Amino acid sequence: MIRKTTFTLALFIAVLSTSPAQSSYVREHFNKMEVQIPMRDGVKLWTTIYAPSDAGAATPFLMMRTPYSCAPYGANNYRDSLGPEFTFTQERMIFVYQDVRGRYMSEGGFQWMTPYIPNKKPGQVDEATDTWDTIDWLLKNVANNNGRVGVYGTSFPGHYAAQCLIEPHPALKAVSPQAPMADNWLGDDMHHNGAFWLPHAMGFLSGFGVKRDGPTQRYGPRAYSMDTQDGYDFYLRMGPIANALTKYNMNRIELWKKWVEHPDYDAYWAPQNVPQHLKKAGNVAVLIVGGWWDAEDLQGPLKIHEAIEKFSPQNNTKIVMGPWYHGSWNGGPGTSLHDIQWTTKTGEDFRANLQKPFFRHYLLDADAPNIAEATLFDVGADKWREFRQWPTKDARATSFYLGQGGKLGFTASTAKGLFEEYLSDPAKPVPSSGSISPGMPRQYMIEDQRFAWTRPDVLTFSTGDLAKDTTLAGPVKVSLFVSTTGTDADFVVKLIDVFPNNSGAKSPREANYPMGGYQMLIRGEPMRARYRQSWSKPIAMKPGKVEKVEFTMPDVVHTFGKGHRIMVQVQSSWFPVMDRNPQTFVNIMTAKASDFKKATHRVYVSGKTPSRLIVGVL
C-alpha cells in the first residue's frame, strides 16, 4: 500500500506557480534549443528541448506534445519548471515540448483528435507517425541521450500520449496519459451519450477554434465574450444552438460548424475513438491517471485502460483514479474538493509514490515502484484501495430498484404498472449547479444536490439510513423503463451520498455551511433516449409507449458510511452543462424555438418494468 500522506482547466494544462528560484534553476542547469523537426511528409513541427548543461551520464527524454503552445518562445526565454510537476525540474532528463501539427509554431493543418490511419500509404501521417518521427529525430540529433523516451500529458496532451501507444517507437519505454480524451462523442468533454456539453464546447471552441494563417505565437480574438457571469441566463437567452452561429459569431469557427453538422455518432466521430486502436502497446509501461470528479475527461482514462487490458493483457499497464478535478493531481496536497475533505494527502501520494517512481524506474533504472494494477481512492472511507484487476471481481453485482413513493431498495415491487411521473419544461430546465458560472463549473460533479431535489421535475429515490458501511465499486449500469408524451427525451441519473442530519463534517470552503443532510453527488450521467438503440441512427419515441433505456455511467469506488443514505435522482434537463432537448424528434443542432415543447415523462418501477441501477458491492 502507498502511504497516507479553483480552477477549471477546460482542456488546458495546469500551470503551476513556481518561485523565481525555480525559474533560475532551469536557466542555470539546462541548455535550451528550439528546432523544427521534419515529419515524413515534409511538414516541420516546432520543438523546444531543455537538455542538462553538465556533461554527466547519458539521460532519457521526457516529452509532452501539446496543442496549447510550448511557450515561452525564444532562445533566452525559459520555462519556470520542467516535466509533469515542478519537482521533475531537478531530475537529469532531456525535457521536450512540441507544438502538434497545425498549432502555434508548427506547420501543417490541425485536426481534432486526428483519426489513426491503419495500413498507411507512403506520405500518409497521423499522430502516431508524428510521434514516431519526432522520437527518431531526437535519438539521432540530441547528444548524450540514453536511448529511452517517456511521454506524458494531461487532457489534450494526454490524448496525444495515448495516441503514441497505437504504434509505439521501440525507444518508447514509459507513457502516462493523464485525463486523456478517448472519445469526444461517447463520454469525454463534448458529448455524453448523445447529449451535448454546451458551455464547455462553445466556450472552449470560441477561443481554441480561431483560425490561424500559418505558424504563429498568438491567435486572434475569441469569437465572442460573455455579457454576464450567469451561465444559466446566458445560454437560455441564446435560445436554440443554431443561434450561436450568428448571435455569437460561432460561424467563424470551422470546428463548431463541423460539430453542428454531425449531431450523431457517424463517420466523422467514430474514427476519432482512440481505444479501438490500442492493440500494440507491447512492452511500453503505461500509467493512466484520472480524477473521479473530472468534469471533462473522466471516461477517457477508464476506457483507455479497458482497451489496453483487452488487447494486450500482458502489458504493464496501471491505472490511478483519485479524488481530483481535471489535472489537479499535479498541484496541492489533494485533501479536499469543494465542500468535501479527507485526511489522506492524495496529490502528494500520487506525485511522490506513483508518478515520480514510475518514470525514474523505466527511464533511469531506479528501483521498481510497487504500483498495483488499479490504485483507486475511496473518499467515503478516506483511503486508497488497491486492486489486482479493474473492474474488480471481488464486487457482487447488486440491483438498487427505484420504487414508488421515493423508495430505493434491493427488491422490485411485484405490483403491475406502478410509475412516477413529472412534467419537463425546456423553458425552465433543472440547473446543473447551485452556483451558475459562465463556463463549466468544476464543482458540479460533487456538489450538494439540495438545490435541485425539491423541484417537481426531479424524481428522488432513497434508501433508509444504512446499518453498515456499504462500498460500491465498478461501473454503474442504469436500466430505466420510461414513457413520454413527446417524441424524444433526456434522462439524467444521479447517484448521491446523503450525509446524516447530525453530520459533524465541515466544509473547507465555507465554515458554517450546513453539512447535515448534504447530498454529495458521486456520479451523474445523461442518456438521450433517441440513441437508445443506436448511437448512429436516432429513433423517435412513440408517445405513451413504455420503452427500456439503458446506459452505463463511469465507474465508482465509494463507501457510503453507516447512517448515510444512498439516493438516486432522475430528471430530464441539466442546464447549462447539458444542452436542452426540445422533446420533439428534430435535429437538435438546427432546432427552432418552436420545436421546444413541454412533455410528461414516466419512470416505471414495478412488475415487468423495474427501473434500477446495477453496480458492484464489495
Side-chain angles (χ1 to χ4, degrees):
M1 294 291 292
I2 58 177
R3 67 173 177 83
K4 280 194 174 183
T5 53
T6 280
F7 54 90
T8 297
L9 292 180
L11 283 173
F12 290 94
I13 300 171
V15 179
L16 303 177
S17 61
T18 55
S19 68
Q22 289 166 341
S23 177
S24 176
Y25 185 93
V26 176
R27 187 178 296 273
E28 291 172 3
H29 291 83
F30 292 86
N31 293 325
K32 179 182 178 182
M33 297 176 283
E34 294 180 321
V35 297
Q36 291 177 292
I37 299 179
M39 301 294 103
R40 63 190 63 184
D41 63 346
V43 168
K44 295 178 180 178
L45 303 189
W46 186 277
T47 309
T48 302
I49 304 166
Y50 293 85
S53 54
D54 63 38
T59 190
F61 296 100
L62 187 55
M63 177 170 69
M64 181 182 73
R65 306 183 66 241
T66 177
Y68 301 128
S69 167
C70 62
Y73 299 102
N76 295 321
N77 297 319
Y78 282 67
R79 296 176 69 93
D80 289 338
S81 64
L82 302 172
E85 46 91 9
F86 72 90
T87 68
F88 270 81
T89 304
Q90 298 187 18
E91 296 291 330
R92 279 198 85 259
M93 297 182 180
I94 304 169
F95 296 94
V96 179
Y97 300 87
Q98 184 176 76
D99 289 339
V100 296
R101 180 180 293 256
R103 293 294 295 176
Y104 285 91
M105 291 296 290
S106 284
E107 299 175 352
F110 174 77
Q111 290 190 71
W112 182 266
M113 292 185 68
T114 310
Y116 168 68
I117 305 173
N119 305 314
K120 297 179 184 65
K121 298 177 182 177
Q124 286 188 310
V125 296
D126 51 28
E127 300 303 340
T129 63
D130 281 358
T131 308
W132 181 294
D133 293 349
T134 297
I135 291 174
D136 224 44
W137 189 95
L138 292 170
L139 293 169
K140 295 173 183 177
N141 292 277
V142 179
N144 207 30
N145 74 77
N146 71 359
R148 300 181 189 181
V149 179
V151 175
Y152 71 96
T154 299
S155 196
F156 221 139
H159 161 73
Y160 293 117
Q163 283 262 34
C164 76
L165 291 167
I166 296 175
E167 289 182 348
H169 191 285
L172 189 64
K173 303 301 180 183
V175 176
S176 184
Q178 303 185 6
M181 296 140 46
D183 191 311
N184 256 192
W185 199 94
L186 285 175
D188 289 315
D189 291 296
M190 307 307 174
H191 295 82
H192 288 235
N193 298 325
F196 189 46
W197 251 223
L198 178 60
H200 186 44
M202 186 169 160
F204 178 70
L205 279 194
S206 67
F208 183 88
V210 170
K211 184 181 178 181
R212 69 165 199 174
D213 293 316
T216 182
Q217 295 182 23
R218 189 181 301 275
Y219 283 73
R222 301 174 65 87
Y224 68 91
S225 58
M226 298 189 73
D227 58 356
T228 177
Q229 295 183 358
D230 187 335
Y232 188 98
D233 173 69
F234 176 84
Y235 289 104
L236 204 57
R237 282 191 291 112
M238 183 182 80
I241 290 174
N243 290 353
L245 288 168
T246 54
K247 197 170 184 178
Y248 293 111
N249 302 316
M250 292 301 286
N251 55 356
R252 291 176 45 201
I253 309 298
E254 291 300 320
L255 262 175
W256 177 265
K257 291 192 290 185
K258 180 72 71 175
W259 291 359
V260 168
E261 292 169 3
H262 296 276
D264 309 320
Y265 195 62
D266 58 12
Y268 169 75
W269 292 105
Q272 298 178 23
N273 175 283
V274 175
Q276 65 185 319
H277 301 302
L278 293 172
K279 301 177 181 179
K280 301 178 183 179
N283 296 320
V284 182
V286 184
L287 182 67
I288 302 168
V289 185
W292 286 132
W293 287 279
D294 183 344
E296 298 164 50
D297 299 301
L298 166 59
Q299 181 158 274
L302 297 166
K303 290 299 183 183
I304 287 173
H305 174 260
E306 178 185 330
I308 295 177
E309 288 297 298
K310 175 183 177 181
F311 296 128
S312 303
Q314 303 307 314
N315 177 268
N316 186 16
T317 297
K318 315 294 186 184
I319 184 169
V320 180
M321 298 294 294
W324 303 313
Y325 292 137
H326 193 64
S328 65
W329 44 87
N330 272 318
T335 54
S336 67
L337 284 184
H338 197 54
D339 292 316
I340 309 302
Q341 60 182 343
W342 50 93
T343 61
T344 308
K345 297 180 180 179
T346 64
E348 295 179 10
D349 274 351
F350 167 71
R351 296 190 295 274
N353 300 312
L354 296 170
Q355 179 172 254
K356 180 73 73 68
F358 171 79
F359 279 117
R360 295 193 80 252
H361 173 65
Y362 291 105
L363 300 182
L364 292 168
D365 285 328
D367 292 342
N370 182 21
I371 303 177
E373 170 70 23
T375 304
L376 314 175
F377 193 75
D378 179 345
V379 165
D382 193 356
K383 68 179 183 181
W384 290 101
R385 294 185 183 271
E386 295 182 344
F387 298 92
R388 291 169 295 180
Q389 60 191 30
W390 189 256
T392 177
K393 291 184 178 179
D394 295 333
R396 183 183 73 257
T398 303
S399 292
F400 292 84
Y401 290 93
L402 312 187
Q404 197 169 43
K407 294 181 179 180
L408 183 68
F410 297 106
T411 57
S413 170
T414 57
K416 296 182 179 179
L418 299 182
F419 60 84
E420 298 288 320
E421 69 177 13
Y422 56 98
L423 178 67
S424 175
D425 184 356
K428 299 177 181 178
V430 179
S432 49
S433 174
S435 53
I436 300 299
S437 65
M440 179 187 286
R442 66 176 186 174
Q443 79 278 2
Y444 91 91
M445 289 181 65
I446 194 173
E447 73 177 305
D448 190 352
Q449 296 301 297
R450 285 179 290 189
F451 70 87
W453 77 303
T454 57
R455 286 181 57 117
D457 51 358
V458 177
L459 298 182
T460 299
F461 306 88
S462 177
T463 66
D465 295 346
L466 297 175
K468 61 180 181 179
D469 290 356
T470 302
T471 303
L472 306 188
V476 183
K477 182 179 179 180
V478 177
S479 180
L480 300 179
F481 288 91
V482 298
S483 67
T484 178
T485 57
T487 51
D488 193 17
D490 292 340
F491 293 96
V492 179
V493 176
K494 299 186 291 189
L495 175 65
I496 296 164
D497 182 347
V498 183
F499 288 26
N501 287 330
N502 61 352
S503 173
K506 301 292 183 183
S507 168
R509 176 181 62 92
E510 185 177 338
N512 295 321
Y513 190 87
M515 297 297 290
Y518 194 98
Q519 296 179 6
M520 174 187 173
L521 184 59
I522 304 302
R523 190 66 70 240
E525 280 291 303
M527 178 66 192
R528 186 145 283 172
R530 64 174 59 200
Y531 298 112
R532 65 198 178 280
Q533 296 182 27
S534 169
W535 298 122
S536 59
K537 296 179 180 179
I539 301 171
M541 299 185 75
K542 184 178 180 180
K545 181 182 179 181
V546 180
E547 297 197 59
K548 180 185 285 190
V549 173
E550 291 187 321
F551 63 101
T552 301
M553 300 200 285
D555 305 4
V556 298
V557 173
H558 185 78
T559 295
F560 294 76
K562 179 181 178 181
H564 289 230
R565 287 178 288 140
I566 301 174
M567 177 181 284
V568 172
Q569 292 179 2
V570 181
Q571 59 200 55
S572 288
S573 52
W574 212 13
F575 191 76
V577 160
M578 186 179 82
D579 69 324
R580 295 177 301 144
N581 191 323
Q583 304 184 146
T584 58
F585 188 71
V586 296
N587 183 337
I588 298 177
M589 292 297 187
T590 58
K592 304 183 296 294
S594 58
D595 294 323
F596 290 74
K597 306 287 187 181
K598 296 179 183 179
T600 297
H601 306 316
R602 289 181 174 179
V603 177
Y604 293 81
V605 295
S606 68
K608 295 182 179 180
T609 54
S611 295
R612 59 179 175 155
L613 273 62
I614 306 102
V615 61
V617 176
L618 286 180

